[in-house]
Amino acid sequence: MATLRNLTRPGTIFCRVFRQIKRESNLDKTAVLACYPTIPCFSHDDICLTQQRCLFQLPKLPGTSTNKRKDYSERRLLGYSMEQMYEIVADVEKYTEFVPWCTQSTVFNSKPGSFKCKMEVGFPPLSEKYTSCVTVAKPNLVKSECTDGRLFNHLLTIWQFSPGVPDIPNTCVLDFSVSFEFRHALHSQLSAVFFDTVVKEMVNSFLKRAKQKFGAPSIRAQKPKVLIYNS
C-alpha cells in the first residue's frame, strides 16, 4: 500500500496538482494530504479503471473550487475540403493512431446519423474510460457528447465544416468547440494542468492526420480566431 505522499514526489503529475491545490486552498501539504485516505499502489496494468468505478473517491478539499467548467471555441480556414476533414474527424476508431492521450476508441450501436463510442483517455499515470454518443451529418458536422457521466459531468465536442475560399476547392472553414467539466475534485485539478495543452494540440493533430492522408494543404496554415477561451 502507498499513500498519496508517494505519488506527490517531485516530477510527478500529482506533485503539480497538489501545488495548485495548495495555492487555491491556502493549506500546507500536510493539511491537504490529511484530507485524503490511503489508496492502493497501482501497477501500470491495473491503473486503467473500468467505467463502473471512479479513479479515486475524493472528499472536497476545504477552500478549493471543483467541477469548474472549461470552454474553448475557435474558427479557422483550413487547406482541406469539408469532405476530407469530415472523413478524418468522423473516423473515430482511428483516433488512437493520432489523437493525443486517446488510448482506446471503439465504435458500437451504429445507426444512420449517429453511433456510440467507448473512449479511453490517458494522462499518465491516470487513465479513464467513458462513453460518447456521436452525431454526424456528412460533410458538415461531427458532434460528440459524453453520456455515462462517471468521469465527466459534462463533455461536448463539436466540429462544424462550411465552404472555404470560393476559387480554391480544397478549403473549408472549421468551427471547433470543446466544453468539459470533470466530476471529481482531483480530476478538476488535473483539467487545469492539461487544458491549455489539449486545446493547443487537438485541432493540429487532425491537421497532421489530413496531411498524412491527403498531402500538403492547399493554402498556408492559418492562425485560429479564438471565439471562447474559458480556462
Side-chain angles (χ1 to χ4, degrees):
M1 298 290 286
T3 67
L4 281 176
R5 288 178 175 82
N6 300 116
L7 297 177
T8 55
R9 64 186 182 275
T12 65
I13 288 174
F14 286 98
C15 181
R16 297 172 63 190
V17 171
F18 270 80
R19 284 202 300 267
Q20 181 171 341
I21 293 173
K22 287 160 63 180
R23 286 196 300 270
E24 294 185 4
S25 63
N26 294 320
L27 299 175
D28 61 23
K29 185 175 181 180
T30 301
V32 172
L33 290 171
C35 298
Y36 291 87
T38 297
I39 62 171
C41 182
F42 299 106
S43 68
H44 176 75
D45 292 331
D46 63 17
I47 200 165
C48 297
L49 305 179
T50 65
Q51 289 177 284
Q52 281 67 42
R53 72 185 178 97
C54 172
L55 180 64
F56 304 130
Q57 295 295 330
L58 296 179
K60 184 177 179 180
L61 286 173
T64 62
S65 60
T66 60
N67 301 334
K68 182 180 178 183
R69 179 166 166 167
K70 300 184 182 298
D71 302 276
Y72 175 81
S73 177
E74 72 169 52
R75 176 176 296 158
R76 72 169 89 179
L77 180 66
L78 306 181
Y80 297 96
S81 68
M82 292 189 296
E83 290 78 11
Q84 288 173 328
M85 291 306 303
Y86 173 87
E87 181 179 334
I88 291 175
V89 177
D91 193 5
V92 177
E93 285 193 313
K94 298 290 181 62
Y95 280 12
T96 54
E97 298 179 10
F98 65 95
V99 177
W101 303 298
C102 181
T103 57
Q104 178 183 328
S105 53
T106 306
V107 170
F108 66 101
N109 198 23
S110 295
K111 300 176 182 178
S114 69
F115 56 86
K116 291 187 177 181
C117 181
K118 290 183 179 179
M119 304 288 291
E120 182 175 335
V121 292
F123 301 107
L126 309 182
S127 184
E128 285 282 6
K129 295 181 180 180
Y130 63 94
T131 301
S132 283
C133 180
V134 182
T135 303
V136 294
K138 187 177 182 178
N140 301 106
L141 175 70
V142 180
K143 182 177 74 172
S144 177
E145 185 170 10
C146 178
T147 57
D148 61 17
R150 293 183 176 89
L151 175 58
F152 296 98
N153 281 334
H154 167 80
L155 172 62
L156 178 64
T157 305
I158 300 176
W159 299 78
Q160 290 182 294
F161 306 106
S162 55
V165 182
D167 57 345
I168 305 179
N170 285 339
T171 60
C172 72
V173 174
L174 164 67
D175 283 282
F176 170 77
S177 64
V178 58
S179 174
F180 67 93
E181 178 180 280
F182 284 112
R183 177 171 293 277
H184 296 284
L186 182 56
H187 290 137
S188 294
Q189 299 300 328
L190 287 171
S191 72
V193 175
F194 289 108
F195 180 69
D196 286 346
T197 304
V198 170
V199 164
K200 291 175 182 177
E201 293 189 14
M202 180 61 72
V203 174
N204 286 336
S205 67
F206 283 83
L207 292 177
K208 290 177 183 178
R209 182 70 167 186
K211 186 176 182 179
Q212 292 173 354
K213 189 165 186 176
F214 303 115
S218 61
I219 59 174
R220 293 177 60 183
Q222 305 292 305
K223 290 185 178 180
K225 179 181 179 181
V226 177
L227 305 177
I228 300 173
Y229 190 95
N230 171 26
S231 61

